[in-house]
Amino acid sequence: MRSFALVAFLSAVVAASAKQIVITVGANTTANASTIFSPAEVTAVIGDVVLFNFTQGNHSATQSTFASPCIPAHDTNATINGFNSGLRPTNNGTAITNLPVTITTNDTIWFYDIATCALGGVGGINVNESSTETLDGFIRNAIRLNGTATSTSASASATAPSGTGSSTRSSTSASATGGSNGADRAVVGALAALPMALIALVL
Ligand SMILES: *[C@@H]1O[C@H](CO)[C@@H](O)[C@H](O)[C@H]1NC(C)=O
Ligand SMILES: *[C@@H]1O[C@H](CO)[C@@H](O)[C@H](O)[C@H]1NC(C)=O
Ligand SMILES: *[C@@H]1O[C@H](CO)[C@@H](O)[C@H](O)[C@H]1NC(C)=O
Ligand SMILES: *[C@@H]1O[C@H](CO)[C@@H](O)[C@H](O)[C@H]1NC(C)=O
Ligand SMILES: *[C@@H]1O[C@H](CO)[C@@H](O)[C@H](O)[C@H]1NC(C)=O
Ligand SMILES: *[C@@H]1O[C@H](CO)[C@@H](O)[C@H](O)[C@H]1NC(C)=O
Ligand SMILES: *[C@@H]1O[C@H](CO)[C@@H](O)[C@H](O)[C@H]1NC(C)=O
Ligand SMILES: *[C@@H]1O[C@H](CO)[C@@H](O)[C@H](O)[C@H]1NC(C)=O
Ligand SMILES: *[C@@H]1O[C@H](CO)[C@@H](O)[C@H](O)[C@H]1NC(C)=O
């Protein structure tokens, strides 16, 4: 009973520290695909919510894999039940929507925009920039493969760290509260309710 209470308390601490990390989707897209996801690289811990905020244009946030940047993850690896917003037209910024993604793994999560993947409209959550699978490597894969093939023999050259510029990429976590759609409020509400339920158990 005592240890259960301790576990409940620790869970409450974890839940209380879960944060929301906003990635803005859109900006000026046809002109520069590298600005579609802003920031394109974020860090998040298990329990955090990465919120894709579709603010301009007609884009998606679709999970993929490092080897196949422009193909939905589930299509290349059936065990991955990846997220996919589908194309979200924002009607020139007047119909802003969100896609909240709750983080459940420490592994890197790669994603792309259906509309601009071939131009490098991609990003990643918890990218290990010390590994061979860097964001720059992912961008190069996306441009090279253009959503038409999976990476096989050519992946080694495509995935090697470039050695230039990768350190200048921003890796930002911003936290925010509230949100502009029901799904987002439901997630935040559930997280807020959890500690109270656990406190009730402890008492
Ligand atoms: C997008 O880029 C084009 C070309 O640089 C520019 O003319 C246009 O004003 C930009 N639009 C926005 C919304 O930034
Ligand atoms: C695209 O945006 C990135 C980041 O802001 C910038 O470094 C790069 O020079 C831009 N490329 C073009 C073609 O404007
Ligand atoms: C498919 O995804 C699972 C879970 O991420 C991973 O363990 C497995 O290695 C992947 N399979 C292939 C062939 O990449
Ligand atoms: C969004 O993009 C898709 C694919 O290019 C297109 O079929 C659809 O008509 C677009 N929707 C709007 C509202 O522009
Ligand atoms: C979007 O808004 C800009 C500036 O108000 C306007 O010039 C442009 O025509 C609009 N585009 C669409 C597709 O409505
Ligand atoms: C995720 O990483 C954290 C911090 O390194 C670790 O405590 C936790 O056990 C990991 N969780 C999983 C499921 O790997
Ligand atoms: C990607 O493929 C489309 C359709 O084949 C083509 O129009 C586009 O130019 C290609 N983009 C790149 C960057 O190769
Ligand atoms: C990142 O990759 C390097 C090289 O493969 C590895 O040594 C390191 O443990 C990785 N870091 C994490 C947090 O997985
Ligand atoms: C999404 O972007 C819009 C427009 O910039 C902004 O008003 C809104 O607060 C953003 N939503 C979140 C959850 O950050």
Side-chain angles (χ1 to χ4, degrees):
M1 204 54 196
R2 179 176 277 270
S3 66
F4 177 75
L6 179 62
V7 168
F9 174 74
L10 291 175
S11 300
V13 169
V14 169
S17 65
K19 58 186 187 305
Q20 185 187 71
I21 298 155
V22 176
I23 296 178
T24 301
V25 188
N28 199 346
T29 50
T30 43
N32 191 341
S34 72
T35 61
I36 297 261
F37 295 107
S38 178
E41 186 174 345
V42 298
T43 55
V45 300
I46 290 173
D48 286 353
V49 174
V50 172
L51 184 78
F52 291 93
N53 193 20
F54 297 85
T55 59
Q56 279 291 339
N58 180 8
H59 303 286
S60 80
T62 306
Q63 188 174 342
S64 62
T65 61
F66 187 82
S68 303
C70 305
I71 300 174
H74 187 76
D75 291 359
T76 59
N77 185 335
T79 68
I80 304 176
N81 186 20
F83 59 85
N84 186 356
S85 68
L87 285 163
R88 295 267 185 107
T90 57
N91 192 24
N92 221 356
T94 61
I96 292 172
T97 59
N98 294 330
L99 175 73
V101 174
T102 302
I103 302 304
T104 59
T105 175
N106 285 332
D107 296 341
T108 302
I109 298 170
W110 299 105
F111 56 84
Y112 71 100
D113 163 34
I114 293 168
T116 61
C117 189
L119 304 170
V122 298
I125 301 167
N126 295 333
V127 178
N128 182 349
E129 291 290 353
S130 303
S131 73
T132 53
E133 301 194 349
T134 63
L135 179 61
D136 282 346
F138 189 58
I139 292 170
R140 283 195 301 275
N141 263 359
I143 294 170
R144 182 173 60 85
L145 297 169
N146 194 17
T148 59
T150 55
S151 169
T152 51
S153 57
S155 67
S157 61
T159 61
S162 68
T164 59
S166 64
S167 63
T168 61
R169 284 201 182 271
S170 62
S171 176
T172 313
S173 323
S175 67
T177 55
S180 52
N181 75 3
D184 176 39
R185 272 197 302 277
V187 170
V188 173
L191 289 175
L194 190 54
M196 283 184 200
L198 291 169
I199 286 165
L201 285 173
V202 171
L203 292 178

